[in-house]
Amino acid sequence: MSEVRVRFAPSPTGYLHIGGVRTALYSWLWARQNRGTFILRIEDTDQERSTAKSIQVVLDSMRWLGLDWDEGPEVGGEHGPYFQSERLGLYADYAERLLASGDAYRCYATKQEIADARDAFHKTNAKGGFRFQSPWRDGADPPKDRDAYVIRFRAPREGSTGWDDVIKRRIDVPNDTQQDFILLRPNGMPLYNFGCVVDDLTMGVTLATRGDDHVINTAPQILLYKALGVEPPKFAHMPMVLAPNGEKLSKRHAAVGVLEYRDMGYLPDAVLNYLARLGWSHGDQEIFTRQELIEKFSWDHVGSTAGRYDAKKFLYVQEEHLRTLPDGEVARLTVPFLARIGIAAQADDPVLLEAIPYVKPRSATLADVADAVSYFLGEIEFEEKGKRKFLVPENASHLVQLAELIENVEPFEKEKLDEVVKGWLEANELPMKKVAQPARVAMTGRTRSPGLFEVMEVLGKDKTIARLRAAAELAASATTH
RNA sequence: GGCCCCAUCGUCUAGUGGUUAGGACAUCGGCCUCUCACGCCGGUAACGCGAGUUCGAACCUCGCUGGGGUCACCA
């Protein structure tokens, strides 16, 4: 098999869209599976939108996801530079070649003239798409009064252009629907189709991957390759990620920037897993490690239908990944989320490490984990509802008795506590329910938590007793209505 | 509207001429139980429509309908 060279070429627009991430992911998986090369290229020719900050977001996003690139910004490579805005000389050269061969021409029409022509077209002729007919296509003399021009491609009007898409089937587009699209702006900045072709060509890309919304650009690009006398790469067009209601997924529908998932406490592998599985399958398997993804990925099983974003399934995948993550890792990753809620803890904090096994099956995200361990590490905060319902005078004595009962339990471990407390309940003909909830609220401040004895063990004897007694006092003095 | 793409449970999908149409999420019911989860057991739920090819179509062909994309000096 020949070498695999693929690229991800986002335009920095403020955030990295999860739809784009999926495109990047499939390409990356393909490269890694084949020991090929994954290139990151920044398409920053739209100077209005491209900012240093946006570029940083792209790099941060890719790094957080662990989609490492072999060539691109900050790592370099033989085919650089990897920012389109720094490759202007290259585009000029190729434009010159097309000009020389007659496959391109200079067009002096102003934006206003084109806009007027478009308006006139829409007024008179409602059917068909508008295509600007440049008077300079057929060799009119350059005007004397203006020198700004764009370079347009001289698109063929006959025949058709097609390719065998790796994901879809054969696609053919009649050439008479093509327009003389612009290659270079007056300022030398290339437009998408031209920049993309020159870059894919000079970077030796063997498979061009992109979203479904780009199928329309492929025929023009193939025309460009032909005009330049080179063989086009293969193309793979990924179906889109749609919103739950079937619209194009945008900020309106869900968190679309990957970094938002980082901030919510998702794991990179979970994001990759969910996105991979949205539009690709491997039999009945739902949960994949990164390594499994690399091993099992195949273009054959990338579907051709657009997928809808499903937040619940995403969360489920995240839960599964959290569960298989070793406790030490969970602890380490939870630290920053603890800091965010005002708890300074170290990753090797023994209380944190002890609590995690109990908290993990009850959490989906790292933010959930942080919240769930907060009362072990920090001060207790009572939920108003639980406090009002369970910390009432009639429960006060039970709490005190419980505190006294466990005073001498050694070792202070859940099995032993279970035995002692249940024995006491039985002897006094007290149902567990009667005591458990008040004690839970006393120790955690909440009505929902891990098992009572697990909480006691993690909290330790001193804190457990202190909290039971404090709550008992609170309960005794509570007024009932 | 032109051009292009797409069509299996609500959602993601398996399925490549013969299956009780499978799995997962969601949903509903149950078990477990000190709460909440986890886990386990079970239920509801799909081949858009119409022709054709064939002994036989979810699978092949055509049409229709529906959805999406795109018609820029954005990418």
Side-chain angles (χ1 to χ4, degrees):
Chain A
M1 160 163 269
S2 60
E3 192 195 358
V4 168
R5 288 181 64 82
V6 288
R7 84 297 189 262
F8 177 53
S11 59
T13 55
Y15 56 86
L16 191 56
H17 193 283
I18 54 175
V21 170
R22 191 177 54 151
T23 305
L25 171 62
Y26 289 169
S27 306
W28 182 84
L29 292 173
W30 183 238
R32 292 292 168 261
Q33 182 181 87
N34 293 281
R35 300 179 178 282
T37 304
F38 181 67
I39 304 164
L40 180 62
R41 178 172 84 219
I42 307 295
E43 307 216 332
D44 59 346
T45 56
D46 183 349
Q47 309 224 281
E48 315 249 308
R49 290 197 286 180
S50 300
T51 62
K53 198 178 164 195
S54 295
I55 290 166
Q56 198 54 48
V57 169
V58 170
L59 302 186
D60 288 350
S61 300
M62 294 294 283
R63 288 224 166 92
W64 177 66
L65 290 165
L67 298 180
D68 54 327
W69 54 97
D70 307 302
E71 293 180 25
E74 295 178 2
V75 308
E78 296 172 32
H79 306 267
Y82 293 91
F83 292 87
Q84 287 194 321
S85 61
E86 295 171 10
R87 299 169 65 82
L88 267 26
L90 214 45
Y91 308 128
D93 288 349
Y94 277 86
E96 208 53 53
R97 278 165 63 170
L98 290 169
L99 241 20
S101 65
D103 289 300
Y105 60 92
R106 295 182 175 84
C107 171
Y108 297 85
T110 62
K111 279 188 189 180
Q112 190 55 50
E113 285 169 345
I114 296 167
D116 290 346
R118 183 181 298 116
D119 290 346
F121 174 85
H122 286 308
K123 267 178 199 152
T124 57
N125 192 350
K127 55 179 182 287
F130 169 74
R131 281 174 298 160
F132 180 66
Q133 307 284 330
S134 171
W136 291 278
R137 174 181 167 105
D138 301 313
D141 289 332
K144 302 252 186 301
D145 57 331
R146 47 175 99 152
D147 48 15
Y149 59 83
V150 299
I151 296 179
R152 282 185 188 273
F153 182 62
R154 197 188 306 276
R157 299 258 165 96
E158 265 142 43
S160 69
T161 304
W163 71 98
D164 292 303
D165 201 273
V166 170
I167 294 171
K168 301 173 184 296
R169 40 185 102 172
R170 175 83 196 170
I171 299 175
D172 276 290
V173 185
N175 286 342
D176 62 10
T177 62
Q178 300 299 345
Q179 54 180 337
D180 286 358
F181 55 90
I182 293 174
L183 270 23
L184 283 183
R185 297 180 174 104
N187 67 2
M189 282 289 179
L191 260 72
Y192 174 70
N193 279 326
F194 187 55
C196 186
V197 166
V198 172
D199 289 343
D200 284 347
L201 181 68
T202 53
M203 291 179 179
V205 169
T206 55
L207 172 68
T209 59
R210 47 166 80 124
D212 218 338
D213 48 340
H214 281 295
V215 288
I216 198 78
N217 289 314
T218 304
Q221 292 193 10
I222 290 172
L223 255 13
L224 239 24
Y225 282 105
K226 280 189 183 160
L228 289 166
V230 296
E231 194 62 27
K234 289 188 187 308
F235 295 94
H237 289 94
M238 331 270 165
M240 317 213 55
V241 178
L242 268 24
N245 64 2
E247 292 174 353
K248 200 167 175 173
L249 183 64
S250 73
K251 278 180 285 200
R252 217 150 41 76
H253 311 284
V256 291
V258 269
L259 260 20
E260 292 180 66
Y261 290 91
R262 178 193 64 185
D263 297 342
M264 286 188 281
Y266 280 65
L267 267 7
D269 284 17
V271 175
L272 260 25
N273 187 162
Y274 174 69
L275 256 18
R277 194 56 193 64
L278 210 199
W280 168 82
S281 61
H282 184 80
D284 286 340
Q285 188 171 353
E286 298 285 346
I287 304 301
F288 297 82
T289 63
R290 182 178 295 252
Q291 196 53 38
E292 284 176 312
L293 247 21
I294 293 173
E295 285 162 11
K296 295 173 173 175
F297 177 76
S298 155
W299 293 111
D300 297 344
H301 286 90
V302 175
S304 46
T305 65
R308 298 186 190 207
Y309 176 85
D310 183 341
K312 284 188 173 162
K313 179 115 185 205
F314 197 165
L315 197 61
Y316 162 78
V317 172
Q318 158 62 23
E319 278 175 33
E320 292 295 314
H321 279 266
L322 182 69
R323 275 189 205 124
T324 55
L325 202 63
D327 294 345
E329 267 302 277
V330 175
R332 189 176 67 78
L333 295 170
T334 301
V335 167
F337 290 89
L338 282 166
R340 242 163 46 176
I341 54 174
I343 297 173
Q346 299 295 317
D348 57 359
D349 185 312
V351 174
L352 176 59
L353 285 166
E354 246 188 288
I356 281 174
Y358 304 128
V359 143
K360 226 160 53 165
R362 295 174 170 79
S363 307
T365 65
L366 294 169
D368 294 341
V369 174
D371 176 65
V373 299
S374 62
Y375 51 78
F376 288 116
L377 298 164
E379 289 307 304
I380 192 165
E381 267 179 63
F382 290 104
E383 279 171 5
E384 204 44 52
K385 222 175 113 186
K387 183 175 154 189
R388 226 176 27 232
K389 183 165 178 192
F390 296 108
L391 298 190
V392 293
E394 60 164 309
N395 289 332
S397 70
H398 289 152
L399 291 174
V400 175
Q401 288 172 55
L402 190 58
E404 285 167 356
L405 178 72
I406 61 176
E407 195 110 35
N408 298 315
V409 173
E410 284 302 339
F412 202 74
E413 287 167 1
K414 59 179 191 291
E415 293 81 6
K416 185 73 182 167
L417 287 161
D418 189 305
E419 188 190 317
V420 171
V421 173
K422 286 201 173 139
W424 168 70
L425 289 169
E426 221 164 291
N428 292 278
E429 291 185 351
L430 273 169
M432 180 73 174
K433 279 180 204 244
K434 186 83 183 140
V435 180
Q437 281 305 78
R440 186 183 315 284
V441 174
M443 293 188 297
T444 70
R446 309 176 181 197
T447 53
R448 308 155 61 153
S449 81
L452 220 52
F453 308 117
E454 294 168 348
V455 171
M456 288 180 174
E457 182 182 317
V458 175
L459 229 35
K461 187 185 278 184
D462 293 351
K463 261 191 177 176
T464 300
I465 291 172
R467 286 187 183 183
L468 286 172
R469 291 194 184 282
E473 273 180 43
L474 216 56
S477 62
T479 50
T480 43
H481 329 257

